């Protein structure tokens, strides 16, 4: 596991424990996914539910429930309004949640309306080109884009304002160009990004590492950069990060959890304590790999700070990009 993120996790865990005496988790626990079954929030809930039970950190299976609407907005408002003091409940969240909070998509409630427990895994943005693209490095691509941005349509698996759109805006900014003027092509998911690259309809793709790595290995696309703070291991060990190549941005797609704002310090500490123990277990590591996620651990105050810094960063980026 990444040593830096482990250090943050332990520091956050100690701080959380000092905030209130640790107590056992409730006998019955629940993870709320703010969408239909099968999506990213479901994966996040199953990651916690399956591994906590397998590691014997809970005695009874965690119930996973679903509340579709607003990409998590309905669930967020439900917790704030009706379950703010429920210690048995955790709710799946992601970088996308912070992005929507930054854009005011969760209504009147901001990032301070809940207690952020921890992130247990992540995916990362990637910058991809077609396999036959003449560009072999991010600098080559960025220089070419900067010279003639109008000739470089950038495709992503989401609408304007989505995570892929934000990644595209970072690519444009990295090349010294105005994100408001980029040619962004909104596509239906990563599969459509792959098809559009292969067909020459876009020249740059913004995607996720977990989805694009298999296509990179198969020779269908070329990943020029991983948008992670540090170089990844495994199949992407040979791909440099954006920062390694001289570009001061990354895109961490963390998978985390929050609970109600009125949950006691002791009950909050019970969750951070359980997560701190969980990430050290082989059961969790196996579940993380099975879900296609990379190790990324921030717990307690360290995660709270990450969420709030993300929201602030996304507000700035959204304003710069004309949202």
């Amino acid at each position: 596991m990444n040593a830096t993120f482990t250090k943050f996790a332990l520091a956050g865990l100690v701080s959380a424990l000092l905030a209130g005496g640790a107590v056992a988790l409730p006998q019955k626990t629940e993870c709320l996914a703010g969408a239909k079954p099968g999506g990213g929030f479901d994966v996040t809930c199953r990651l916690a539910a399956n591994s906590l039970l397998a590691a014997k950190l809970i005695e009874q299976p965690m119930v996973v429930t679903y509340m579709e609407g607003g990409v998590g907005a309905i669930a967020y408002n439900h917790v704030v309004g009706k379950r703010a003091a429920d210690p048995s409940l955790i709710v799946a969240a992601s970088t996308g949640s912070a992005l929507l909070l930054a854009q005011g998509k969760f209504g009147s409630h901001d990032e301070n309306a809940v207690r952020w427990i921890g992130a247990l895994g992540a995916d990362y943005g990637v910058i991809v080109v077609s396999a036959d693209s003449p560009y072999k490095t991010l600098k080559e691509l960025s220089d070419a884009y900067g010279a003639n941005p109008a000739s470089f349509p950038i495709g992503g698996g989401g609408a304007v304002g989505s995570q892929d759109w934000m990644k595209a805006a970072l690519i444009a900014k990295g090349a010294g160009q105005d994100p408001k003027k980029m040619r962004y092509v909104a596509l239906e998911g990563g599969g459509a990004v792959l098809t559009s690259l292969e067909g020459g309809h876009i020249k740059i793709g913004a995607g996720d590492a977990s989805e694009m790595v298999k296509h990179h290995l198969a020779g269908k696309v070329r990943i020029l950069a991983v948008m992670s703070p540090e170089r990844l291991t495994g199949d992407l060990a040979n791909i440099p990060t954006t920062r390694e190549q001289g570009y001061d941005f990354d895109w961490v797609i963390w998978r985390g959890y929050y609970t109600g704002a009125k949950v006691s310090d002791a009950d909050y500490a019970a969750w951070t304590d359980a997560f701190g123990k969980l990430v050290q277990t082989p059961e969790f590591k196996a579940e993380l790999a099975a879900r296609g996620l990379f190790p990324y651990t921030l717990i307690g105050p360290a995660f709270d700070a990450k969420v709030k810094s993300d929201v602030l960063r996304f507000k700035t980026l959204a304003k710069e990009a004309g949202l």
Side-chain angles (χ1 to χ4, degrees):
M1 180 177 292
N2 184 293
T4 301
F5 294 137
T6 302
K7 178 181 70 176
F8 286 160
L10 292 176
L13 176 57
V14 170
S15 298
L17 290 175
L18 290 175
V23 298
L25 290 177
Q27 189 173 21
K28 294 183 179 180
T29 56
E30 176 188 349
C31 185
L32 175 60
K36 293 179 180 179
F41 288 148
D42 193 9
V43 168
T44 304
C45 275
R46 297 292 174 186
L47 173 65
N50 292 0
S51 58
L52 282 167
L53 186 65
K56 297 182 170 54
L57 291 171
I58 53 175
E59 295 181 1
Q60 298 183 20
M62 175 180 279
V63 175
V64 176
T65 54
Y66 304 91
M67 184 174 289
E68 182 185 0
V71 198
I74 300 299
Y76 197 85
N77 282 270
H78 171 74
V79 172
V80 173
K82 296 185 177 180
R83 301 185 69 178
D86 186 349
S88 70
L89 179 70
I90 60 174
V91 189
S94 72
T95 300
S97 306
L99 180 56
L100 291 172
L101 282 164
Q103 296 175 22
K105 299 292 180 67
F106 279 13
S108 61
H109 302 302
D110 65 10
E111 63 275 14
N112 299 301
V114 299
R115 300 193 76 169
W116 300 95
I117 302 171
L120 298 186
D123 199 353
Y124 296 97
V126 291
I127 300 169
V128 298
V129 294
S130 64
D132 60 359
S133 170
Y135 308 109
K136 302 294 194 300
T137 69
L138 181 56
K139 186 179 188 309
E140 290 176 0
L141 177 67
S142 186
D143 288 348
Y145 179 90
N148 189 8
S151 67
F152 283 84
I154 308 175
V160 171
S162 67
Q163 290 196 64
D164 279 0
W165 186 86
M166 286 290 183
K167 295 171 202 169
L170 287 171
I171 294 169
K173 277 190 64 180
Q177 298 299 312
D178 185 351
K180 293 192 289 289
K181 297 179 180 179
M182 68 179 174
R183 288 181 60 192
Y184 180 75
V185 181
L187 300 164
E188 292 292 329
V193 172
L194 174 67
T195 302
S196 295
L197 280 170
E198 291 180 324
H201 305 298
I202 60 174
K203 288 188 178 179
I204 307 171
D208 298 344
S210 63
E211 187 168 20
M212 288 295 172
V213 62
K214 57 182 178 290
H215 302 305
H216 173 79
L217 294 173
K220 294 183 178 180
V221 298
R222 182 185 304 133
I223 298 177
L224 297 185
V226 179
M227 302 168 81
S228 56
E230 299 176 10
R231 190 176 290 219
L232 301 181
T233 58
D235 290 334
L236 291 172
N238 292 326
I239 307 297
T241 68
T242 47
R243 294 186 185 278
E244 283 181 85
Q245 298 181 73
Y247 297 87
D248 189 25
F249 62 85
D250 52 41
W251 195 270
V252 180
I253 309 162
W254 48 258
R255 298 290 184 181
Y257 310 84
Y258 64 85
T259 191
K262 296 180 181 178
V263 168
S264 71
D265 286 347
D267 288 318
Y268 175 79
W271 281 111
T272 58
D273 180 42
F275 280 4
K277 293 175 181 175
L278 178 64
V279 296
Q280 306 298 327
T281 66
E283 291 86 358
F284 170 77
K285 293 171 184 176
E287 188 70 27
L288 188 73
R291 299 288 167 184
L293 296 173
F294 299 94
Y296 184 88
T297 306
L298 290 175
I299 296 176
F303 180 53
D304 180 79
K306 170 63 176 171
V307 174
K308 291 172 182 176
S309 67
D310 273 358
V311 171
L312 182 61
R313 180 166 67 104
F314 298 157
K315 283 180 179 179
T316 301
L317 183 57
K319 184 177 180 180
E320 291 174 348
L323 287 184

